Amino acid sequence: MGSSGINAEYMGSSGINAEYMGSSGINAEYMGGVAHGEASLSSSYVHFRCPRDPEGLSKMRTSTLVNDGSFLDKIDADLPKGSWVLRSTQSDQAISIRNLLWPGYEFQLDVTRSAYHQSYFGDGIPCADAVHHIVL
């Protein structure tokens, strides 16, 4: 796929239980699922990458980072606001998240099983017209 600029690693923020963060990220054995009541909120999802927010970077570099994923960037803080579209089933048991800036990216979560998958089938070119499609 090459370097497109999209950072396609996301996860639920309440599912993080980090005791150690190595260079390859948070160990999978410390991850859980998204709480059912929080699954339909975009603030419950974070980028699974090195944080870009200066406050998050500062938190990550402290030696007291234990069972705390608050250093990761939340997707609802991305600019332009509204670039993430979250849809859920009527019972909030299945969640789908798409990014209007990167057509072809989708994250899906099965809340009942705490199982998720994500995929990106695109050309690696951001949608320049996306800001015109965002409803505030």
Side-chain angles (χ1 to χ4, degrees), residues 18-111:
E19 290 185 9
Y20 172 74
M21 181 169 175
S23 60
S24 62
I26 298 174
N27 295 338
E29 65 186 271
Y30 299 114
M31 290 182 201
V34 177
H36 189 271
E38 299 173 358
S40 61
L41 304 172
S42 62
S43 61
S44 299
Y45 298 90
V46 295
H47 291 281
F48 189 51
R49 65 176 185 213
C50 188
R52 295 180 180 167
D53 176 44
E55 185 178 327
L57 280 169
S58 177
K59 283 182 180 181
M60 184 183 76
R61 292 179 177 146
T62 64
S63 60
T64 59
L65 180 66
V66 176
N67 296 330
D68 182 10
S70 65
F71 65 95
L72 294 170
D73 300 324
K74 293 188 179 285
I75 66 169
D76 65 351
D78 286 357
L79 296 175
K81 293 284 185 192
S83 59
W84 291 98
V85 177
L86 187 143
R87 293 195 176 136
S88 63
T89 59
Q90 193 169 14
S91 60
D92 288 340
Q93 293 184 355
I95 306 292
S96 172
I97 302 174
R98 292 184 179 179
N99 188 303
L100 297 176
L101 295 175
W102 296 96
Y105 173 77
E106 185 169 355
F107 173 92
Q108 292 185 347
L109 170 68
D110 180 342
V111 179

Side-chain angles (χ1 to χ4, degrees), residues 80-83 99-103 125-135:
K81 293 284 185 192
S83 59
N99 188 303
L100 297 176
L101 295 175
W102 296 96
I125 300 172
C127 179
D129 295 332
V131 293
H132 302 292
H133 301 290
I134 295 173
V135 178

